[in-house]
Amino acid sequence: MKKIFGIIIASSVLLGAGTMYAKTDSAANLSNWYEHSFQNESMKLGVETGAGLWRTFSNVKIFVSEVKQSFDTSLASFTAKRVSEATTEIEQYEIDTENRLEQTVSELKDENLKVYSKQANINEDIEEDIEQSVEEILEEVLSE
């Protein structure tokens, strides 16, 4: 009798539980569970994505800063090198110009000296010609 009574109670409990479970909306429960799980995963994913973007932007900022510093250093080095080369070229051009000027002055002095000496020779020749002409005229005048 205890056995039958136990089976009846167990059957009643199971039947009651089955009825209660059948009366609940299982689709709504599943939908609520899925929505809750989706929200939790979305929040986790959002947090991870935000943190990943923040790390990426920080790394990009560091990279850009390093590239800018490298570019500034390269530019300063290039500028200093070009200024040095330009200065050297200007100094060399100045030395070459001064040397050519000195050479031209020397050539002009030599040329002027040659011209002067030619003119002096011409003047001497003219003087000799004049003297000779004067002597010839005097001889002619005195001879007559």
Side-chain angles (χ1 to χ4, degrees):
M1 176 116 180
K2 283 185 179 183
K3 216 176 187 185
I4 293 178
F5 187 66
I7 291 176
I8 292 175
I9 290 182
S11 296
S12 296
V13 169
L14 287 174
L15 186 63
T19 305
M20 285 186 353
Y21 182 74
K23 286 186 180 179
T24 60
D25 189 9
S26 61
N29 287 337
L30 184 60
S31 177
N32 288 339
W33 171 83
Y34 180 77
E35 185 178 331
H36 182 68
S37 295
F38 181 77
Q39 286 178 353
N40 285 341
E41 291 301 316
S42 293
M43 287 176 51
K44 287 179 187 176
L45 183 62
V47 168
E48 288 297 320
T49 303
L53 285 174
W54 183 256
R55 282 191 301 270
T56 301
F57 287 141
S58 295
N59 290 339
V60 167
K61 181 180 176 184
I62 291 169
F63 174 74
V64 168
S65 176
E66 289 172 354
V67 167
K68 182 184 179 292
Q69 185 177 9
S70 174
F71 179 74
D72 289 344
T73 303
S74 296
L75 184 63
S77 173
F78 176 77
T79 303
K81 182 179 176 184
R82 287 301 299 148
V83 166
S84 175
E85 288 174 359
T87 302
T88 302
E89 289 174 7
I90 290 171
E91 289 172 350
Q92 186 61 43
Y93 181 77
E94 181 182 13
I95 290 169
D96 290 345
T97 304
E98 287 176 353
N99 289 340
R100 283 185 291 178
L101 182 63
E102 288 174 5
Q103 183 180 3
T104 303
V105 167
S106 175
E107 289 173 0
L108 285 175
K109 283 182 181 178
D110 290 344
E111 188 66 31
N112 284 339
L113 186 58
K114 288 177 186 176
V115 168
Y116 176 76
S117 89
K118 281 183 184 177
Q119 285 178 348
N121 287 338
I122 290 174
N123 286 341
E124 286 178 14
D125 289 343
I126 292 174
E127 284 179 18
E128 286 178 12
D129 286 344
I130 292 175
E131 281 180 29
Q132 194 175 25
S133 294
V134 168
E135 285 178 14
E136 287 175 2
I137 293 174
L138 279 177
E139 277 181 19
E140 276 183 29
V141 170
L142 291 176
S143 320
E144 289 179 9

